[in-house]
Amino acid sequence: MAAVLVGLLFLTGILQLFVYQSSVHQAYASVLTLTREVPFGLWVRNIHHWSANLLVVAAVLHLLRVALTGAFGQGRRLNWVVGLFLLFLLLSANFTGYLLPWDQLAYWAVTICTSMLGYIPICGPWLLELFRGGSEVGGPTLANFFVLHVAFIPGSLFVLMLWHFWLVRRAGGLVQVKKDEQVPVDRVPTVPDLVVREAAFGLLLIAFVLILAIVWDAPLLEQANPGMSPNPAKAPWYFLGFQELLLHLHPVFATLVWPLMGALAFLCVPFWADSSLPTGVWFGSARGRTLAVWTSAVGAGATLALVLTDNLLLQSAAPVSNTLMTRGLLPTGLLIALLAGLYFLLVRKLKYTRAETVMAGIILTLVVLTVCTIIGVWFRGPEMHLSWP
Amino acid sequence: MVENQNKETTENPDRRRFLNQVWAFFGLVAAAEFGWLGLSFMNSRKERNRPAKTESIVTAGSVERFTPGTVTAVPVGQFYLACLGDGSFLALSRTCTHLGCSVPWDEEKNKFVCPCHGSTFSLTGEVLTAPAPRPLDTYPVRIENGIVKVDTSVTQKRERFEPAQATRI
């Protein structure tokens, strides 16, 4: 599925390259030309947009499936890491992609993102200037992200994808429930049985994307205006969970510490002994399923409560002085204490296995991000205040 | 003959390890060279695109035009001129200190509100609501013959507002 989408992206991307011009003065106009004058230009751009969005959904669902069916244990550890890098590349591809039209979204997204780099200790300002190609956002910045989007990221994506698929084959295909060795397994030839099914599914998916692209247009805001940020200035949906974090935490923690902690935790999970569920069984067991449901419900409720409480605090509080402490170290400490406490409770008191607890942790992370994303998409109005959609 | 073979088996692992280390070393050197090449390539653009450090004075207008307790946008210089309650002047950058969005002045609420992450700033540029970590940057203000002039080439960062930062007539 993801491979089909990537294929679509490559093809429509190449077509768009014929029209697009990567300079600050011409980028926006060339995208307008593409959508208005080039035959099927609007459609091609829409296909590119929807494939990219669906790809994020597909990749996250795939991650969830892998985590919930215990497919990152022995023999598949490296592939989990490769998969995470693929997800990262995918998100960077999307990010660099929506910068290229140089509309309001593009300009402010690149301003915000490169400013985030500035918060990295020691080498931050240096990195910021490297990515901007100068001290301010302008032509060199666009050139940087253009190169990243059309050369660096697709190249790496291609190599990693091949590696990813090869590692799956080497590990013996998709995970299955361990069966009795004695029972003979019915096998069918790959050609035509598997190929026909995959082709049929691929075609259905392509049809779905094409229809989506006919019905809904990819967004294009007004031309970039360095003097005025749009109100509210929102990132595309897949980054809104992250943006929600920025509203509540000190920038160093929201842009650096927390994402780094999350990434490290996800990278290290398979290397923790016995952290993977029994292969091929969803949630590991019936008990694991109950735990998963409870984790999702409690996680969603707690996130909502936290966001609402902190919103009240932000609105009412007098000017805060030491935000590095109150919005940085304190929540981080609390989070680590909470996770350690939950782990202790689940493993020692309720006698869940380590694998089930790890699964609960992964579910919790994704639920928190999902709730934040939902809040960001539908419940943030002008000036990023909470409001009804 | 037998002796010779023994010697080889004992020596070979060492030799192999040594050669592997040599290859690894050369590999690292090659990587470092390419990295350095790429970085200097990118860095040169940084220098080339640095704006010229010339003094750029923007004339905001005569003192009488500004009433105490108001904020006037000066689009030419990309800053706000805040006239404080006691009649002193402060030139505030319009760039949010959080992540660089452009901050509009909200006349009704009497504060700057960032549209990206909800930070708010007072008339003097001080942070009212997080997540912004420090007050809005300022530019030096001079008043010559009753005309307010702002030097936008020098950005002054600060941790809090002090009355000394504002320029009096």
Side-chain angles (χ1 to χ4, degrees):
Chain A
M1 180 172 176
V4 173
L5 288 174
V6 172
L8 274 180
L9 282 167
F10 270 97
L11 285 178
T12 48
I14 289 169
L15 282 179
Q16 289 183 87
L17 269 180
F18 289 116
V19 182
Y20 178 75
Q21 286 172 314
S22 69
S23 78
V24 172
H25 302 294
Q26 290 164 320
Y28 189 75
S30 70
V31 174
L32 280 186
T33 316
L34 175 75
T35 55
R36 287 181 188 161
E37 287 161 33
V38 178
F40 300 113
L42 179 66
W43 198 29
V44 167
R45 183 167 179 261
N46 290 349
I47 296 171
H48 200 74
H49 173 82
W50 286 111
S51 308
N53 278 276
L54 283 179
L55 196 51
V56 176
V57 178
V60 171
L61 287 180
H62 175 62
L63 176 92
L64 198 62
R65 207 242 332 236
V66 166
L68 295 187
T69 55
F72 55 79
Q74 194 82 44
R76 295 171 188 273
R77 288 179 179 150
L78 180 61
N79 214 10
W80 167 265
V81 174
V82 173
L84 285 179
F85 274 101
L86 272 173
L87 181 64
F88 175 74
L89 274 182
L90 215 75
L91 288 176
S92 2
N94 278 12
F95 174 73
T96 49
Y98 71 72
L99 301 182
L100 299 186
W102 214 243
D103 61 351
Q104 279 283 64
L105 173 69
Y107 183 85
W108 293 105
V110 75
T111 306
I112 290 172
C113 180
T114 46
S115 301
M116 282 183 192
L117 290 174
Y119 280 106
I120 298 173
I122 304 164
C123 64
W126 182 82
L127 268 179
L128 185 148
E129 291 208 343
L130 187 72
F131 270 89
R132 285 190 182 174
S135 55
E136 274 157 32
V137 175
T141 323
L142 182 59
N144 277 350
F145 284 100
F146 180 65
V147 169
L148 282 178
H149 187 75
V150 304
F152 188 76
I153 292 175
S156 328
L157 201 67
F158 187 65
V159 172
L160 279 188
M161 263 173 68
L162 289 183
W163 196 14
H164 199 59
F165 295 151
W166 179 69
L167 281 174
V168 170
R169 294 308 309 160
R170 207 184 59 168
L174 303 177
V175 285
Q176 289 170 341
V177 183
K178 281 219 178 68
K179 288 204 188 88
D180 200 353
E181 294 292 329
Q182 305 300 325
V183 183
V185 187
D186 281 341
R187 287 180 179 273
V188 290
T190 310
V191 186
D193 291 56
L194 178 68
V195 171
V196 164
R197 280 172 177 74
E198 285 193 339
F201 188 77
L203 283 175
L204 275 181
L205 182 66
I206 292 176
F208 178 64
V209 175
L210 295 194
I211 291 172
L212 268 185
I214 292 174
V215 180
W216 284 289
D217 286 346
L220 183 66
L221 304 183
E222 285 140 46
Q223 190 160 13
N225 175 3
M228 195 195 72
S229 308
N231 190 4
K234 284 191 190 183
W237 64 270
Y238 35 85
F239 289 133
L240 278 177
F242 194 47
Q243 190 171 4
E244 186 71 28
L245 214 58
L246 279 170
L247 294 175
H248 298 286
L249 290 177
H250 186 273
V252 173
F253 285 81
T255 61
L256 185 69
V257 179
W258 282 40
L260 214 60
M261 283 196 323
L264 271 181
F266 267 77
L267 280 176
C268 292
V269 147
F271 300 96
W272 198 11
D274 299 325
S275 61
S276 177
L277 293 169
T279 53
V281 190
W282 278 85
F283 305 107
S285 62
R287 207 153 170 257
R289 187 186 303 260
T290 331
L291 178 64
V293 172
W294 273 104
T295 314
S296 319
V298 173
T303 314
L304 199 61
L306 264 180
V307 169
L308 289 176
T309 323
D310 195 53
N311 188 54
L312 282 182
L313 271 179
L314 277 173
Q315 296 304 323
S316 65
V320 265
S321 49
N322 194 357
T323 48
L324 190 65
M325 195 52 127
T326 55
R327 303 204 156 268
L329 288 170
L330 191 67
T332 311
L334 281 179
L335 179 79
I336 291 172
L338 182 76
L339 289 180
L342 278 178
Y343 181 78
F344 181 79
L345 178 76
L346 287 176
V347 172
R348 295 286 160 76
K349 300 281 166 184
L350 299 174
K351 301 290 175 205
Y352 281 101
T353 62
R354 177 180 285 175
E356 284 167 341
T357 316
V358 165
M359 174 202 71
I362 292 174
I363 291 182
L364 185 67
T365 315
L366 289 177
V367 164
V368 170
L369 266 179
T370 314
V371 171
C372 285
T373 309
I374 291 173
I375 293 175
V377 173
W378 285 299
F379 298 98
R380 288 279 176 193
E383 290 156 16
M384 298 308 282
H385 285 317
L386 284 176
S387 63
W388 293 106
Chain B
M1 196 61 203
V2 172
E3 215 182 354
N4 199 5
Q5 230 174 7
N6 263 348
K7 208 178 166 188
E8 258 184 28
T9 44
T10 48
E11 248 183 29
N12 250 347
D14 279 352
R15 202 173 107 171
R16 187 166 290 175
R17 200 185 308 137
F18 172 73
L19 283 175
N20 280 344
Q21 280 171 355
V22 168
W23 279 116
F25 173 74
F26 279 127
L28 284 179
V29 169
E33 273 174 4
F34 274 110
W36 181 70
L37 189 146
L39 279 182
S40 41
F41 189 96
M42 304 296 282
N43 260 333
S44 77
R45 304 184 330 150
K46 227 189 248 183
E47 294 302 322
R48 229 179 323 132
N49 297 312
R50 203 177 292 283
K53 275 274 175 211
T54 48
E55 208 176 338
S56 44
I57 306 285
V58 174
T59 310
S62 67
V63 176
E64 299 91 61
R65 273 184 52 207
F66 307 99
T67 37
T70 59
V71 169
T72 317
V74 185
V76 188
Q78 309 192 345
F79 63 88
Y80 290 103
L81 193 67
C83 185
L84 307 187
D86 59 353
S88 57
F89 289 95
L90 205 56
L92 298 169
S93 156
R94 67 178 180 192
T95 308
C96 180
T97 51
H98 181 225
L99 289 171
C101 289
S102 149
V103 194
W105 170 252
D106 191 324
E107 201 79 51
E108 285 168 26
K109 295 181 190 151
N110 210 32
K111 57 188 179 185
F112 296 95
V113 186
C114 178
C116 297
H117 304 98
S119 305
T120 55
F121 304 88
S122 69
L123 176 72
T124 56
E126 277 182 301
V127 181
L128 294 175
T129 2
R134 54 189 168 79
L136 292 172
D137 295 340
T138 59
Y139 298 111
V141 178
R142 271 183 306 183
I143 298 172
E144 291 170 359
N145 304 326
I147 306 285
V148 184
K149 290 179 176 176
V150 178
D151 180 3
T152 54
S153 63
V154 188
T155 318
Q156 299 165 319
K157 294 180 176 173
R158 52 191 181 146
E159 288 304 317
R160 65 190 64 78
F161 170 71
E162 277 152 23
Q165 291 160 351
T167 309
R168 258 158 258 280
I169 304 163

